[in-house]
Amino acid sequence: MASLSHHVHPHSSLNTPTIKFTKLFINGQFLDSISGRAFETVDPRTEEVITEVAEGTEEDVDLAVKAARVAFDSGPWPRMTGSERAKIMMRWADLIEENLEEIAALDTIDGGKLYTSCKAVDIPHVASLLRYYAGAADKIHGEVLKSSRNFHAYTLMEPIGVVGHIIPWNFPTHMFFAKVSPALAAGCTMVLKPAEQTPLSALFYAYLSQLAGIPDGVLNVIPGFGRTAGAAISSHMNIDAVSFTGSTETGRRVMQAAAMSNLKPVSLELGGKSPLIIFNDADVDRAVDLALFGILCNKGEVCVASSRVYVHEGIYEEFEKKVVEKSKAWVVGDPFDPKVQQGPQVDKKQFDKILSYIEHGKREGATLLTGGKRVGNKGYYIEPTIFTNVKEDMLIAQDEIFGPVMTLFKFKSIEEAIRSANNTRYGLAAGIVTKNLDIANTVSRNIRAGIVWINCYFAFDNDFPYGGYKMSGFGRDYGLHALHKYLQVKSVVTPIYNSPWL
Ligand code: NAD
């Protein structure tokens, strides 16, 4: 046990919810899987099984796609006016808020996420995200085109059809609604596969969608594994587009499966190794808070985590001392406890992976300043960990660890900072801390990443498009840009008669 704050606080069973939904949601019904198989979902606080969930495989995905196809080809959803769809989406948002505590508890026991954050941030945010896209549903329109001859021509923005969504476990609630909300606004129908680690809130959302009035077959939720249910979605001949969030390796497989089946368009939100660059005019205390928040928020299981922190040599010593002190005081423990700042990693696989990266970092010759060990002997808790003397080509500086592990670097010039920050195959996010506008503008224009935060971190909002450069993927979630993943453009042309041209 590294310090007093790194005790695992006692587990509260008080907030543990009764699990109501554990079956596949297809065509408005909760069903067992065709194979009859189920899989265990585990509480990372205790390593104990929470419940068994029906395990969807290829044949279940096929059934869900058939339902979504009928709902798209002849059902009411794509044929409603945008404002009718919006009304139902708004009702769903209200129901989510009414069930806030129960859903927050599901994400906490399934994913080890902080209960207070789920309650105060994740779930209220997705209700607002649904309303944002509901507001867009009746404003999707094409344009009148200019013709060089006598034609009247215009475009229609049509829903792309049946969409497949494949999402990861680190933000089960955010990811669900980042995908589903714009697709619904566009008039699509869909099949969503939650991550096998965190299926519970997705099934609760499916139930609420039905109460809100989303017609049967429009939203189908198939829990299951990637190599079976996930692969069946990306290779399905009757799914018209796939929106994926997850690792770069899996993204490549999804794209390959899409290419080898019906050439469906894919959008990929993948991994990251995001830099936070702190200049010597920064308020060091605030910069330390930002850097810790950037890597320890959601126990580092964040694709935009600030896992590489570059600090100007003028303030490096002070920064290092303070960041280590504060990191030692970081409270790791039961995510239901409001004093706790960091819960357990999502599962054993992720826990082992992080610890093995830490060992690798030590072997590579980086200096471990603090942390590096398991906390307690039950649950997947890991100490906040900071390395310095890290070389840019070390594995811990290049690979996405997806855990509470910061790598610290010292830099001398703005050019060096930009070059080092871009020395990665990823390009999801970046942070800059400075009071100097010229530096902020220069660096933000020269960083190859989908979002740049100046003097803040993790600043997301409904209207901020979000996605990757380079091997962090392509396509954008959030903002009105996301709607276009679920729409296609049709040109319609009519001649104008009595024209000298015809
Ligand atoms: P993962 O790629 O293994 O899993 C993500 C999803 O893909 C899961 O639902 C999984 O079941 C499914 N899947 C796995 N194999 C599949 C296959 N062959 N075909 C189709 N689907 C398959 O990723 P993970 O390890 O569970 O999640 C962590 C990764 O996700 C990290 O690398 C992280 O950066 C990334 N991530 C990215 C974002 C983003 O917005 N860019 C957000 C969250 C997580």
Side-chain angles (χ1 to χ4, degrees):
M1 204 106 359
S3 79
L4 205 61
S5 45
H6 294 166
H7 286 292
V8 178
H9 285 229
H11 296 120
S12 68
S13 53
L14 211 67
N15 294 305
T16 306
T18 314
I19 311 298
K20 295 177 185 150
F21 306 101
T22 58
K23 296 189 177 186
L24 314 178
F25 185 73
I26 300 177
N27 209 16
Q29 288 183 297
F30 282 101
L31 303 174
D32 286 319
S33 57
I34 294 171
S35 70
R37 285 215 302 264
F39 64 100
E40 294 174 342
T41 184
V42 170
D43 184 339
R45 301 174 307 154
T46 59
E47 307 180 32
E48 281 160 18
V49 175
I50 306 168
T51 187
E52 287 202 339
V53 175
E55 182 190 333
T57 57
E58 196 178 341
E59 42 193 3
D60 303 293
V61 167
D62 201 45
L63 198 64
V65 173
K66 284 199 174 86
R69 187 84 257 163
V70 171
F72 187 78
D73 291 345
S74 52
W77 190 254
R79 289 158 194 85
M80 282 181 192
T81 63
S83 58
E84 285 169 326
R85 282 202 294 274
K87 213 167 154 184
I88 296 173
M89 291 169 71
M90 296 275 193
R91 216 178 291 143
W92 195 14
D94 293 344
L95 287 167
I96 290 164
E97 284 174 340
E98 285 164 27
N99 290 274
L100 184 78
E101 297 194 347
E102 189 167 347
I103 307 169
L106 290 178
D107 277 350
T108 300
I109 58 165
D110 225 8
K113 296 172 70 69
L114 294 183
Y115 178 68
T116 44
S117 303
C118 292
K119 232 173 94 173
V121 184
D122 295 51
I123 298 168
H125 174 230
V126 299
S128 131
L129 188 66
L130 250 179
R131 294 187 183 112
Y132 171 86
Y133 285 111
D138 62 354
K139 297 169 195 71
I140 296 169
H141 47 71
E143 41 192 6
V144 177
L145 305 173
K146 235 175 148 56
S147 167
S148 56
R149 294 191 288 150
N150 278 5
F151 290 106
H152 168 52
Y154 61 94
T155 55
L156 289 173
M157 302 297 282
E158 296 186 336
I160 201 160
V162 175
V163 179
H165 302 296
I166 303 172
I167 61 172
W169 41 261
N170 56 343
F171 288 91
T173 285
H174 272 288
M175 292 296 141
F176 185 100
F177 286 98
K179 305 293 186 197
V180 163
S181 322
L184 285 176
C188 293
T189 63
M190 60 210 71
V191 178
L192 178 141
K193 192 195 85 61
E196 51 272 36
Q197 296 86 346
T198 53
L200 298 178
S201 60
L203 295 171
F204 201 102
Y205 290 129
Y207 159 71
L208 294 181
S209 76
Q210 195 172 39
L211 286 191
I214 292 187
D216 293 350
V218 172
L219 170 68
N220 304 276
V221 178
I222 308 288
F225 293 95
R227 61 179 185 281
T228 49
I233 290 176
S234 38
S235 62
H236 205 289
M237 291 299 287
N238 232 338
I239 288 184
D240 300 303
V242 166
S243 183
F244 171 80
T245 296
S247 61
T248 298
E249 307 84 84
T250 308
R252 184 179 276 131
R253 270 186 223 119
V254 168
M255 198 167 168
Q256 209 164 25
M260 299 311 287
S261 53
N262 59 346
L263 293 171
K264 60 178 79 60
V266 296
S267 62
L268 305 176
E269 304 269 355
L270 308 174
K273 190 76 183 173
S274 299
L276 173 66
I277 311 168
I278 301 168
F279 287 89
N280 59 356
D281 63 344
D283 173 325
V284 175
D285 291 296
R286 287 190 54 194
V288 162
D289 288 341
L290 212 57
L292 282 178
F293 175 59
I295 188 64
L296 300 181
C297 174
N298 204 49
K299 1 110 188 195
E301 292 170 352
V302 185
C303 44
V304 286
S306 59
S307 46
R308 294 181 296 141
V309 178
Y310 295 89
V311 185
H312 190 272
E313 59 177 1
I315 54 167
Y316 182 86
E317 301 307 325
E318 183 188 356
F319 181 92
E320 184 188 291
K321 186 169 162 281
K322 289 184 167 166
V323 81
V324 169
E325 263 167 34
K326 281 206 170 163
S327 157
K328 285 185 171 157
W330 201 258
V331 187
V332 181
D334 187 340
F336 276 110
D337 182 338
K339 290 192 293 298
V340 162
Q341 293 167 289
Q342 184 185 316
Q345 308 306 138
V346 74
D347 65 3
K348 172 102 172 51
K349 190 169 151 226
Q350 191 61 22
F351 174 78
D352 289 342
K353 179 179 142 192
I354 296 165
L355 290 175
S356 91
Y357 269 115
I358 293 172
E359 288 313 308
H360 202 280
K362 290 197 251 175
R363 279 203 305 278
E364 279 181 310
T367 308
L368 181 68
L369 289 173
T370 182
K373 293 193 298 296
R374 171 178 209 173
V375 179
N377 51 19
K378 194 176 178 202
Y380 305 124
Y381 297 92
I382 295 182
E383 291 173 339
T385 299
I386 303 178
F387 278 106
T388 190
N389 294 321
V390 183
K391 304 246 173 350
E392 282 183 24
D393 58 356
M394 288 181 179
L395 210 60
I396 57 165
Q398 287 295 331
D399 279 13
E400 181 180 51
I401 299 175
F402 226 54
V405 184
M406 180 192 294
T407 48
L408 261 181
F409 303 84
K410 199 189 290 184
F411 72 89
K412 287 188 171 63
S413 67
I414 181 168
E415 294 76 17
E416 183 192 353
I418 292 169
R419 190 200 51 74
S420 301
N422 280 331
N423 183 13
T424 168
R425 59 188 179 276
Y426 294 117
L428 209 47
I432 304 165
V433 184
T434 180
K435 298 186 188 87
N436 184 320
L437 265 183
D438 288 335
I439 292 181
N441 286 327
T442 305
V443 179
S444 50
R445 275 164 174 69
N446 282 286
I447 293 286
R448 296 191 63 209
I451 190 161
V452 178
W453 289 301
I454 300 168
N455 297 327
C456 59
Y457 211 80
F458 294 141
F460 288 110
D461 216 329
N462 298 338
D463 205 37
F464 302 175
Y466 164 69
Y469 278 35
K470 296 154 74 179
M471 286 180 75
S472 291
F474 51 85
R476 295 291 177 266
D477 280 334
Y478 298 92
L480 295 180
H481 289 259
L483 279 174
H484 294 276
K485 300 204 297 193
Y486 307 110
L487 292 167
Q488 52 195 347
V489 183
K490 180 184 279 174
S491 293
V492 182
V493 183
T494 28
I496 299 175
Y497 289 110
N498 302 323
S499 129
W501 299 98
L502 296 165

